[in-house]
Amino acid sequence: MLLAGALGVLGAITAVAVSVPADAAASTLGAAAAQSGRYFGTAISANKLGDSAYTTIANREFNMVTAENEMKIDATEPNQNQFNFTNADRIYNWAVQNGKQVRGHTLAWYAQQPGWMQSLSGSALRQAMINHINGVMAHYKGKIPYWDVVNEAYADSGGGRRDSNLQRTGNDWIEVAFRTARAADPAAKLCYNDYNTDNWTWAKTQGVYNMVKDFKSRGVPIDCVGFQSHFNSGSPYPSNYRQTLQNFAALGVDVAITELDVEGASATTYANIVNDCLAVPRCVGITTWGVRDSDSWRSSQTPLLFDGNGNKKPAYTAVLNALNSAPNTSPSPTPPVSPSASPTPPVSPSPTPPVSPSPDTSPQPGGCSATMRTINSWPGGFQSEVTVSAGSSAVNGWTVNWTWPGGQTISSLWNGTQSVSGSSVTVRNAPYNGSIAAGSSTTLGFTANGTAATPSVTCS
Ligand code: G3I
């Protein structure tokens, strides 16, 4: 009580910025992951949004959502050139209105193609793929931080491509998909997503690794690799999983665990997986493929964190504890250093410079600038994006600052760590996005309560 009183007096005198207490353990998966600038997500089915037991858990625990089936090709373009976003938007709107982000899944895939696409080949199929990517990404332009552009393009053995109608249009179909996606929504991070790519020694893992390496060397726009990580007796969690994540990240891409489930849901295995992600600065988040065991595509394997009655399983506690044990980067002015093997410039270990008092938002040589825009709004709330741009020199660690004009409050923020003092907001880079090449930019996003506003943003 004496300490609290003393702190209260100190706070009143000096008006020191208040940030999240460094040692407070978060009580939900999303909040716990956010402490290190990461997200914790789940797959969501539109047909379960009316199940309040389901939505209560999903809303409470997760801050990232993937549509389990509703953004796939057969759902979004059931007839050629007739796009349907009814169920995809139900999930998108539910997520955003509850302060969550959405991962896009998926734009080009051999499976879940509508009948009309299955019967196409050659240049007609190639053009249909391009048209599909453009149609879906235009609908969600600026709203989806990560898109699984291409899903499961590698064969289960041998390390080569999977045979499919898309593959038969020519080996360049994957890079065409990524270039199309970049042009369609330059703000989205573009991912390749696959399963059985977790064990570093497996040929399939090496095949995908070599593709990403080749893409990076030739400037094909790829930003991230998703590891589905459906673990079971035939494809168990490998002891070299962390090495796999690290090696991909060292190519200069974000990595994410995108569809996690573990047969039997061993608490130890789940904790190991979380710790592996936490050990890799560019591992941006983890998504489990469903909420409760009864929601899983492999429900008989009881592979998720909640049982069929919605109770937390031992694996849930193991995951939460692991996330809470991660270094709390939120109040830290110095983001962790990237792995030295990474070809991307490592984040500077020197302290971030103080916030500039100047409201100048134009790009400065050797400095940075930032702008805010509203992505979406609804009664009582809104979603915004802040673009942080480097000037003529690379930026290694950034801080942006703004002041709310009308009592707005942030409910959820991603791709950065925030501290709030009254109406003043300060956001520093997350562990994985502090480095911005000269002339390039990165984005952070948030949902907030109140009336949408776009105050000027300073960057240092
Ligand atoms: O909705 C229909 C229903 O009306 C019909 O009566 C029933 C009859 O079979 O089918 C229902 O659709 C099923 C759909 O899931 C919704 O439950 C489809 O048959 C079924 O094929 C579909 O399975 C999905 C599968 O992808 C298809 O490839 C799973 O839900 C989904 O979890 C799974 O997700 C994939 C990822 O996208 C990629 N990685 C692997 C992962 C697991 O397979």
Side-chain angles (χ1 to χ4, degrees), residues 68-69 72 105 109 111-112 151-152 228 230 259 289 297:
E68 186 170 358
N69 289 295
K72 293 173 180 176
H105 175 77
W109 188 20
Q112 278 178 281
N151 197 41
E152 301 174 3
Q228 295 184 8
H230 296 291
E259 303 181 16
W289 205 238
W297 69 303

Side-chain angles (χ1 to χ4, degrees), residues 91-409:
I91 292 179
Y92 178 85
N93 291 331
W94 179 84
V96 168
Q97 286 166 15
N98 286 294
K100 305 172 199 318
Q101 286 187 283
V102 176
R103 286 191 93 258
H105 175 77
T106 177
L107 297 166
W109 188 20
Y110 78 89
Q112 278 178 281
Q113 293 182 359
W116 64 266
M117 185 177 271
Q118 291 175 35
S119 64
L120 291 183
S121 61
S123 59
L125 175 59
R126 177 65 67 87
Q127 194 51 48
M129 177 191 82
I130 292 169
N131 192 52
H132 180 79
I133 293 170
N134 282 329
V136 176
M137 291 190 84
H139 183 76
Y140 291 110
K141 189 169 183 180
K143 298 178 172 181
I144 300 260
Y146 293 96
W147 262 112
D148 289 337
V149 177
V150 172
N151 197 41
E152 301 174 3
Y154 272 73
D156 287 337
S157 60
R161 297 283 181 86
R162 173 193 297 278
D163 179 49
S164 71
N165 60 349
L166 289 165
Q167 181 62 31
R168 290 192 290 272
T169 67
N171 207 49
D172 63 344
W173 73 276
I174 299 181
E175 60 192 88
V176 168
F178 276 91
R179 291 188 203 279
T180 303
R182 176 68 91 229
D185 186 354
K189 288 202 175 189
L190 309 178
C191 309
Y192 177 80
N193 191 53
D194 214 330
Y195 64 88
N196 284 0
T197 49
D198 316 290
N199 190 321
W200 180 243
T201 66
W202 285 17
K204 185 172 180 179
T205 309
Q206 293 299 312
V208 174
Y209 177 84
N210 287 329
M211 176 189 73
V212 176
K213 191 175 178 186
D214 171 53
F215 281 10
K216 294 302 279 186
S217 74
R218 290 191 295 114
V220 177
I222 185 168
D223 306 305
C224 37
V225 175
F227 296 82
Q228 295 184 8
S229 304
H230 296 291
F231 293 123
N232 54 62
S233 51
S235 176
Y237 163 74
S239 58
N240 58 26
Y241 188 57
R242 184 178 302 192
Q243 182 192 359
T244 302
L245 299 177
Q246 269 165 349
N247 288 346
F248 273 86
L251 292 175
V253 289
D254 290 346
V255 295
I257 301 170
T258 53
E259 303 181 16
L260 180 62
D261 44 30
V262 181
E263 181 175 11
S266 152
T268 306
T269 303
Y270 261 106
N272 286 341
I273 292 164
V274 171
N275 284 326
D276 288 340
C277 178
L278 294 174
V280 178
R282 291 197 75 155
C283 184
V284 294
I286 300 171
T287 297
T288 54
W289 205 238
V291 179
R292 304 161 299 192
D293 285 336
S294 48
D295 304 314
S296 169
W297 69 303
R298 286 175 165 169
S299 55
S300 65
Q301 295 185 359
T302 60
L304 295 173
L305 302 179
F306 295 87
D307 70 19
N309 294 320
N311 299 311
K312 296 169 180 173
K313 295 164 63 177
Y316 171 93
T317 308
V319 167
L320 185 67
N321 289 344
L323 292 170
N324 273 325
S325 300
N328 185 341
T329 59
S330 185
S332 165
T334 53
V337 179
S338 299
S340 56
S342 169
T344 52
V347 175
S348 163
S350 63
T352 327
V355 175
S356 163
S358 162
D360 183 0
T361 57
S362 61
Q364 301 297 312
C368 61
S369 63
T371 54
M372 185 185 297
R373 69 186 180 109
T374 306
I375 299 283
N376 198 2
S377 64
W378 53 90
F382 60 101
Q383 181 187 351
S384 298
E385 181 178 81
V386 175
T387 301
V388 184
S389 304
S392 55
S393 306
V395 163
N396 286 318
W398 47 262
T399 302
V400 294
N401 183 270
W402 67 87
T403 302
W404 289 122
Q408 291 85 350
T409 53

Side-chain angles (χ1 to χ4, degrees), residues 45 48 440:
S45 284
K48 291 178 186 153
S440 295

Side-chain angles (χ1 to χ4, degrees), residues 380 382 404 406-412 418 420 422 425 446-451:
F382 60 101
W404 289 122
Q408 291 85 350
T409 53
I410 291 174
S411 48
S412 173
Q418 60 167 315
V420 173
V425 179
F446 59 84
T447 51
N449 303 311
T451 305

